[in-house]
Amino acid sequence: MPDVAKIEYCGEFFPVNEVQVFTVGREGDLDIDDNPYLHRQFLTVSRHEGLWWLANVGARLTATIADRTGGLQAWLSPGGRIPLVFSRTSVVFTAGPTTYEFAIHISQPAFRQEQFVADPDGATTIGPVLLTESQRALVVALAEPMLRRDGTGLSAIPSSAAAAERLGWGITKFNRKLDNVCDKLDKNGIAGLRGGPGKLASNRKARLVEHAVSSHLVTRADLPMLDQDLSQI
């Protein structure tokens, strides 16, 4: 039985045959969008040496790659390539003000991962990262615009003051919990949340939301929690 690859974008599936170099971009086999910030040919999917590969053939943009469990995440910079070894791989990237996401399905993946759902203490478990209820609420508040509307860019992330108000928290409490979440993820190997030894990165909110959405750390199913009274958590 042949190993088949399919690209899923906005509910449509695009098959990739074994001798094809499938291109994604402004003018690719998958014509993403007429966005001048997007390369004409940005990413390619092709089969070599018995594996499917995703390559970045663009000059400026970087893509975030995550498996469906959220247990693995990587950045694919210009000139880089990565083997597609999972049954479903999410690809997220931003071009100008717009963020895009598509998925790559492999019929015969080299690896299989199981998703952890919950732990006995009631904390949320996503891959190796445990989030308390308040930490998850903070991430959902920051990611809310992107979760509610496909194609929303990182520029739509609310300010710390707006997110704190949404949660019913003071700004000091919000900043303390934001630092705690970023520190926890950094210790679990998520890059881009620290600017240097002992110092959190200045753009940590954008990186946090990018990781949370692409790895499914939070999803649309978490949005109803924002309608609850979160002031005391």
PDB file of all heavy atoms in Angstrom, residues 9 17 41 66 68 73-74 97-98 100 105 113-114 116 122 128 150 157 163 165-166 173-174 187 202:
ATOM      1  N   TYR A   9      -6.229  22.299   3.857  1.00  0.00           N
ATOM      2  CA  TYR A   9      -6.274  23.751   4.042  1.00  0.00           C
ATOM      3  C   TYR A   9      -7.704  24.230   3.877  1.00  0.00           C
ATOM      4  O   TYR A   9      -8.337  23.992   2.835  1.00  0.00           O
ATOM      5  CB  TYR A   9      -5.359  24.457   3.036  1.00  0.00           C
ATOM      6  CG  TYR A   9      -5.362  25.963   3.154  1.00  0.00           C
ATOM      7  CD1 TYR A   9      -4.890  26.596   4.310  1.00  0.00           C
ATOM      8  CD2 TYR A   9      -5.848  26.760   2.124  1.00  0.00           C
ATOM      9  CE1 TYR A   9      -4.903  27.980   4.424  1.00  0.00           C
ATOM     10  CE2 TYR A   9      -5.856  28.144   2.229  1.00  0.00           C
ATOM     11  CZ  TYR A   9      -5.389  28.744   3.388  1.00  0.00           C
ATOM     12  OH  TYR A   9      -5.399  30.126   3.503  1.00  0.00           O
ATOM     13  N   ASN A  17       1.551  13.362  -4.991  1.00  0.00           N
ATOM     14  CA  ASN A  17       2.064  12.067  -5.442  1.00  0.00           C
ATOM     15  C   ASN A  17       3.567  11.972  -5.163  1.00  0.00           C
ATOM     16  O   ASN A  17       4.228  12.983  -4.899  1.00  0.00           O
ATOM     17  CB  ASN A  17       1.739  11.806  -6.917  1.00  0.00           C
ATOM     18  CG  ASN A  17       2.453  12.782  -7.850  1.00  0.00           C
ATOM     19  OD1 ASN A  17       3.673  12.872  -7.847  1.00  0.00           O
ATOM     20  ND2 ASN A  17       1.684  13.501  -8.661  1.00  0.00           N
ATOM     21  N   GLN A  41       6.612  31.105  -3.947  1.00  0.00           N
ATOM     22  CA  GLN A  41       6.833  29.725  -3.535  1.00  0.00           C
ATOM     23  C   GLN A  41       7.553  29.759  -2.203  1.00  0.00           C
ATOM     24  O   GLN A  41       8.699  30.197  -2.116  1.00  0.00           O
ATOM     25  CB  GLN A  41       7.637  28.943  -4.581  1.00  0.00           C
ATOM     26  CG  GLN A  41       6.896  28.773  -5.889  1.00  0.00           C
ATOM     27  CD  GLN A  41       7.589  27.793  -6.820  1.00  0.00           C
ATOM     28  OE1 GLN A  41       8.715  27.391  -6.605  1.00  0.00           O
ATOM     29  NE2 GLN A  41       6.899  27.408  -7.883  1.00  0.00           N
ATOM     30  N   ALA A  66       4.375  21.676  14.148  1.00  0.00           N
ATOM     31  CA  ALA A  66       3.985  20.980  15.379  1.00  0.00           C
ATOM     32  C   ALA A  66       3.242  19.700  15.034  1.00  0.00           C
ATOM     33  O   ALA A  66       2.497  19.640  14.049  1.00  0.00           O
ATOM     34  CB  ALA A  66       3.108  21.868  16.255  1.00  0.00           C
ATOM     35  N   ARG A  68       0.399  16.719  16.119  1.00  0.00           N
ATOM     36  CA  ARG A  68      -0.978  16.913  16.584  1.00  0.00           C
ATOM     37  C   ARG A  68      -1.121  16.835  18.097  1.00  0.00           C
ATOM     38  O   ARG A  68      -2.104  17.325  18.654  1.00  0.00           O
ATOM     39  CB  ARG A  68      -1.909  15.887  15.933  1.00  0.00           C
ATOM     40  CG  ARG A  68      -1.683  14.454  16.342  1.00  0.00           C
ATOM     41  CD  ARG A  68      -2.599  13.492  15.597  1.00  0.00           C
ATOM     42  NE  ARG A  68      -2.395  12.112  15.983  1.00  0.00           N
ATOM     43  CZ  ARG A  68      -3.013  11.536  17.010  1.00  0.00           C
ATOM     44  NH1 ARG A  68      -3.862  12.222  17.729  1.00  0.00           N
ATOM     45  NH2 ARG A  68      -2.768  10.282  17.318  1.00  0.00           N
ATOM     46  N   GLN A  73       7.611  20.630  18.589  1.00  0.00           N
ATOM     47  CA  GLN A  73       7.466  21.863  17.822  1.00  0.00           C
ATOM     48  C   GLN A  73       8.831  22.297  17.323  1.00  0.00           C
ATOM     49  O   GLN A  73       9.835  22.125  18.008  1.00  0.00           O
ATOM     50  CB  GLN A  73       6.846  22.981  18.664  1.00  0.00           C
ATOM     51  CG  GLN A  73       6.528  24.222  17.814  1.00  0.00           C
ATOM     52  CD  GLN A  73       5.944  25.342  18.643  1.00  0.00           C
ATOM     53  OE1 GLN A  73       6.585  25.805  19.584  1.00  0.00           O
ATOM     54  NE2 GLN A  73       4.752  25.782  18.318  1.00  0.00           N
ATOM     55  N   ALA A  74       8.871  22.829  16.102  1.00  0.00           N
ATOM     56  CA  ALA A  74      10.131  23.276  15.524  1.00  0.00           C
ATOM     57  C   ALA A  74       9.886  24.489  14.640  1.00  0.00           C
ATOM     58  O   ALA A  74       8.775  24.694  14.149  1.00  0.00           O
ATOM     59  CB  ALA A  74      10.773  22.149  14.712  1.00  0.00           C
ATOM     60  N   PRO A  97       0.359  40.992   8.118  1.00  0.00           N
ATOM     61  CA  PRO A  97      -0.561  40.989   9.259  1.00  0.00           C
ATOM     62  C   PRO A  97      -1.374  39.701   9.405  1.00  0.00           C
ATOM     63  O   PRO A  97      -2.175  39.587  10.330  1.00  0.00           O
ATOM     64  CB  PRO A  97      -1.499  42.162   8.934  1.00  0.00           C
ATOM     65  CG  PRO A  97      -1.567  42.159   7.437  1.00  0.00           C
ATOM     66  CD  PRO A  97      -0.188  41.738   6.962  1.00  0.00           C
ATOM     67  N   THR A  98      -1.178  38.733   8.526  1.00  0.00           N
ATOM     68  CA  THR A  98      -2.057  37.566   8.479  1.00  0.00           C
ATOM     69  C   THR A  98      -1.308  36.294   8.851  1.00  0.00           C
ATOM     70  O   THR A  98      -0.184  36.067   8.399  1.00  0.00           O
ATOM     71  CB  THR A  98      -2.675  37.400   7.084  1.00  0.00           C
ATOM     72  OG1 THR A  98      -3.288  38.634   6.688  1.00  0.00           O
ATOM     73  CG2 THR A  98      -3.730  36.304   7.076  1.00  0.00           C
ATOM     74  N   TYR A 100      -1.483  32.079   8.833  1.00  0.00           N
ATOM     75  CA  TYR A 100      -2.092  30.969   8.102  1.00  0.00           C
ATOM     76  C   TYR A 100      -1.749  29.645   8.783  1.00  0.00           C
ATOM     77  O   TYR A 100      -0.712  29.527   9.448  1.00  0.00           O
ATOM     78  CB  TYR A 100      -1.587  30.922   6.660  1.00  0.00           C
ATOM     79  CG  TYR A 100      -1.795  32.196   5.890  1.00  0.00           C
ATOM     80  CD1 TYR A 100      -0.801  33.172   5.841  1.00  0.00           C
ATOM     81  CD2 TYR A 100      -2.983  32.436   5.189  1.00  0.00           C
ATOM     82  CE1 TYR A 100      -0.974  34.355   5.126  1.00  0.00           C
ATOM     83  CE2 TYR A 100      -3.165  33.615   4.471  1.00  0.00           C
ATOM     84  CZ  TYR A 100      -2.159  34.570   4.451  1.00  0.00           C
ATOM     85  OH  TYR A 100      -2.345  35.734   3.745  1.00  0.00           O
ATOM     86  N   HIS A 105      -1.072  15.447   6.151  1.00  0.00           N
ATOM     87  CA  HIS A 105      -1.436  14.112   6.611  1.00  0.00           C
ATOM     88  C   HIS A 105      -0.587  13.073   5.874  1.00  0.00           C
ATOM     89  O   HIS A 105      -0.490  13.118   4.635  1.00  0.00           O
ATOM     90  CB  HIS A 105      -2.917  13.835   6.336  1.00  0.00           C
ATOM     91  CG  HIS A 105      -3.848  14.770   7.051  1.00  0.00           C
ATOM     92  ND1 HIS A 105      -4.429  14.463   8.258  1.00  0.00           N
ATOM     93  CD2 HIS A 105      -4.292  16.019   6.714  1.00  0.00           C
ATOM     94  CE1 HIS A 105      -5.200  15.474   8.636  1.00  0.00           C
ATOM     95  NE2 HIS A 105      -5.136  16.429   7.721  1.00  0.00           N
ATOM     96  N   GLN A 113       2.463   9.086  18.156  1.00  0.00           N
ATOM     97  CA  GLN A 113       2.473   9.625  19.511  1.00  0.00           C
ATOM     98  C   GLN A 113       1.077   9.607  20.071  1.00  0.00           C
ATOM     99  O   GLN A 113       0.094   9.822  19.358  1.00  0.00           O
ATOM    100  CB  GLN A 113       3.010  11.067  19.534  1.00  0.00           C
ATOM    101  CG  GLN A 113       4.512  11.150  19.369  1.00  0.00           C
ATOM    102  CD  GLN A 113       4.983  12.571  19.522  1.00  0.00           C
ATOM    103  OE1 GLN A 113       4.587  13.452  18.779  1.00  0.00           O
ATOM    104  NE2 GLN A 113       5.824  12.797  20.493  1.00  0.00           N
ATOM    105  N   GLU A 114       0.994   9.365  21.385  1.00  0.00           N
ATOM    106  CA  GLU A 114      -0.278   9.409  22.083  1.00  0.00           C
ATOM    107  C   GLU A 114      -0.395  10.729  22.822  1.00  0.00           C
ATOM    108  O   GLU A 114       0.576  11.235  23.377  1.00  0.00           O
ATOM    109  CB  GLU A 114      -0.390   8.260  23.091  1.00  0.00           C
ATOM    110  CG  GLU A 114      -0.283   6.875  22.450  1.00  0.00           C
ATOM    111  CD  GLU A 114      -1.407   6.595  21.468  1.00  0.00           C
ATOM    112  OE1 GLU A 114      -2.484   7.192  21.628  1.00  0.00           O
ATOM    113  OE2 GLU A 114      -1.187   5.801  20.544  1.00  0.00           O
ATOM    114  N   PHE A 116      -1.631  13.031  25.893  1.00  0.00           N
ATOM    115  CA  PHE A 116      -2.050  13.012  27.283  1.00  0.00           C
ATOM    116  C   PHE A 116      -3.195  13.994  27.447  1.00  0.00           C
ATOM    117  O   PHE A 116      -3.159  15.100  26.930  1.00  0.00           O
ATOM    118  CB  PHE A 116      -0.885  13.424  28.195  1.00  0.00           C
ATOM    119  CG  PHE A 116       0.279  12.489  28.120  1.00  0.00           C
ATOM    120  CD1 PHE A 116       1.344  12.771  27.272  1.00  0.00           C
ATOM    121  CD2 PHE A 116       0.311  11.324  28.861  1.00  0.00           C
ATOM    122  CE1 PHE A 116       2.423  11.911  27.183  1.00  0.00           C
ATOM    123  CE2 PHE A 116       1.384  10.460  28.788  1.00  0.00           C
ATOM    124  CZ  PHE A 116       2.444  10.750  27.946  1.00  0.00           C
ATOM    125  N   GLY A 122      -6.004  17.509  38.273  1.00  0.00           N
ATOM    126  CA  GLY A 122      -6.946  18.398  37.589  1.00  0.00           C
ATOM    127  C   GLY A 122      -6.285  19.452  36.741  1.00  0.00           C
ATOM    128  O   GLY A 122      -6.953  20.297  36.169  1.00  0.00           O
ATOM    129  N   PRO A 128       4.267  17.464  27.177  1.00  0.00           N
ATOM    130  CA  PRO A 128       4.985  17.416  28.440  1.00  0.00           C
ATOM    131  C   PRO A 128       4.667  18.585  29.371  1.00  0.00           C
ATOM    132  O   PRO A 128       5.222  18.672  30.453  1.00  0.00           O
ATOM    133  CB  PRO A 128       6.445  17.480  27.988  1.00  0.00           C
ATOM    134  CG  PRO A 128       6.391  18.306  26.752  1.00  0.00           C
ATOM    135  CD  PRO A 128       5.074  17.956  26.080  1.00  0.00           C
ATOM    136  N   ASP A 150     -10.098  32.476  11.948  1.00  0.00           N
ATOM    137  CA  ASP A 150      -8.975  31.976  11.153  1.00  0.00           C
ATOM    138  C   ASP A 150      -8.345  33.118  10.366  1.00  0.00           C
ATOM    139  O   ASP A 150      -9.031  34.006   9.862  1.00  0.00           O
ATOM    140  CB  ASP A 150      -9.443  30.905  10.170  1.00  0.00           C
ATOM    141  CG  ASP A 150      -9.870  29.622  10.872  1.00  0.00           C
ATOM    142  OD1 ASP A 150      -9.381  29.391  11.991  1.00  0.00           O
ATOM    143  OD2 ASP A 150     -10.686  28.880  10.300  1.00  0.00           O
ATOM    144  N   ILE A 157      -3.042  40.290  18.977  1.00  0.00           N
ATOM    145  CA  ILE A 157      -2.920  39.883  20.375  1.00  0.00           C
ATOM    146  C   ILE A 157      -3.241  41.079  21.277  1.00  0.00           C
ATOM    147  O   ILE A 157      -2.709  42.172  21.083  1.00  0.00           O
ATOM    148  CB  ILE A 157      -1.493  39.381  20.670  1.00  0.00           C
ATOM    149  CG1 ILE A 157      -1.208  38.111  19.872  1.00  0.00           C
ATOM    150  CG2 ILE A 157      -1.307  39.103  22.161  1.00  0.00           C
ATOM    151  CD1 ILE A 157       0.225  37.650  19.968  1.00  0.00           C
ATOM    152  N   ALA A 163      -5.992  42.115  28.298  1.00  0.00           N
ATOM    153  CA  ALA A 163      -6.140  40.710  28.674  1.00  0.00           C
ATOM    154  C   ALA A 163      -6.410  40.569  30.169  1.00  0.00           C
ATOM    155  O   ALA A 163      -7.224  39.741  30.594  1.00  0.00           O
ATOM    156  CB  ALA A 163      -4.887  39.932  28.283  1.00  0.00           C
ATOM    157  N   GLU A 165      -7.905  42.747  32.074  1.00  0.00           N
ATOM    158  CA  GLU A 165      -9.292  43.167  32.292  1.00  0.00           C
ATOM    159  C   GLU A 165     -10.272  42.078  31.868  1.00  0.00           C
ATOM    160  O   GLU A 165     -11.284  41.844  32.539  1.00  0.00           O
ATOM    161  CB  GLU A 165      -9.573  44.446  31.508  1.00  0.00           C
ATOM    162  CG  GLU A 165     -10.977  45.014  31.732  1.00  0.00           C
ATOM    163  CD  GLU A 165     -11.208  46.305  30.973  1.00  0.00           C
ATOM    164  OE1 GLU A 165     -10.292  46.772  30.270  1.00  0.00           O
ATOM    165  OE2 GLU A 165     -12.326  46.852  31.086  1.00  0.00           O
ATOM    166  N   ARG A 166      -9.969  41.398  30.770  1.00  0.00           N
ATOM    167  CA  ARG A 166     -10.822  40.307  30.290  1.00  0.00           C
ATOM    168  C   ARG A 166     -10.929  39.194  31.330  1.00  0.00           C
ATOM    169  O   ARG A 166     -11.970  38.555  31.489  1.00  0.00           O
ATOM    170  CB  ARG A 166     -10.214  39.741  28.994  1.00  0.00           C
ATOM    171  CG  ARG A 166     -11.028  38.596  28.356  1.00  0.00           C
ATOM    172  CD  ARG A 166     -12.163  39.158  27.561  1.00  0.00           C
ATOM    173  NE  ARG A 166     -12.780  38.155  26.701  1.00  0.00           N
ATOM    174  CZ  ARG A 166     -13.856  37.442  27.017  1.00  0.00           C
ATOM    175  NH1 ARG A 166     -14.436  37.602  28.203  1.00  0.00           N
ATOM    176  NH2 ARG A 166     -14.375  36.580  26.161  1.00  0.00           N
ATOM    177  N   LYS A 173      -0.902  40.981  38.840  1.00  0.00           N
ATOM    178  CA  LYS A 173      -1.189  39.549  38.858  1.00  0.00           C
ATOM    179  C   LYS A 173      -1.017  38.958  37.459  1.00  0.00           C
ATOM    180  O   LYS A 173      -0.425  37.874  37.298  1.00  0.00           O
ATOM    181  CB  LYS A 173      -2.619  39.312  39.349  1.00  0.00           C
ATOM    182  CG  LYS A 173      -3.068  37.856  39.328  1.00  0.00           C
ATOM    183  CD  LYS A 173      -4.489  37.721  39.853  1.00  0.00           C
ATOM    184  CE  LYS A 173      -4.993  36.277  39.805  1.00  0.00           C
ATOM    185  NZ  LYS A 173      -6.374  36.154  40.337  1.00  0.00           N
ATOM    186  N   PHE A 174      -1.498  39.666  36.444  1.00  0.00           N
ATOM    187  CA  PHE A 174      -1.383  39.174  35.070  1.00  0.00           C
ATOM    188  C   PHE A 174       0.081  39.008  34.673  1.00  0.00           C
ATOM    189  O   PHE A 174       0.471  37.957  34.132  1.00  0.00           O
ATOM    190  CB  PHE A 174      -2.073  40.134  34.103  1.00  0.00           C
ATOM    191  CG  PHE A 174      -1.956  39.732  32.661  1.00  0.00           C
ATOM    192  CD1 PHE A 174      -2.887  38.880  32.078  1.00  0.00           C
ATOM    193  CD2 PHE A 174      -0.900  40.198  31.883  1.00  0.00           C
ATOM    194  CE1 PHE A 174      -2.761  38.496  30.744  1.00  0.00           C
ATOM    195  CE2 PHE A 174      -0.768  39.813  30.559  1.00  0.00           C
ATOM    196  CZ  PHE A 174      -1.709  38.960  29.987  1.00  0.00           C
ATOM    197  N   LYS A 187      11.422  26.119  30.269  1.00  0.00           N
ATOM    198  CA  LYS A 187      12.062  24.972  30.910  1.00  0.00           C
ATOM    199  C   LYS A 187      11.691  23.659  30.214  1.00  0.00           C
ATOM    200  O   LYS A 187      12.398  22.659  30.344  1.00  0.00           O
ATOM    201  CB  LYS A 187      11.668  24.907  32.383  1.00  0.00           C
ATOM    202  CG  LYS A 187      12.312  26.007  33.225  1.00  0.00           C
ATOM    203  CD  LYS A 187      11.862  25.947  34.669  1.00  0.00           C
ATOM    204  CE  LYS A 187      12.538  27.043  35.493  1.00  0.00           C
ATOM    205  NZ  LYS A 187      12.061  27.050  36.903  1.00  0.00           N
ATOM    206  N   SER A 202      11.235  40.244  25.278  1.00  0.00           N
ATOM    207  CA  SER A 202      10.279  41.351  25.254  1.00  0.00           C
ATOM    208  C   SER A 202       9.046  41.015  24.416  1.00  0.00           C
ATOM    209  O   SER A 202       7.968  41.539  24.659  1.00  0.00           O
ATOM    210  CB  SER A 202      10.964  42.614  24.695  1.00  0.00           C
ATOM    211  OG  SER A 202      11.468  42.366  23.391  1.00  0.00           O
TER     212      SER A 202
END
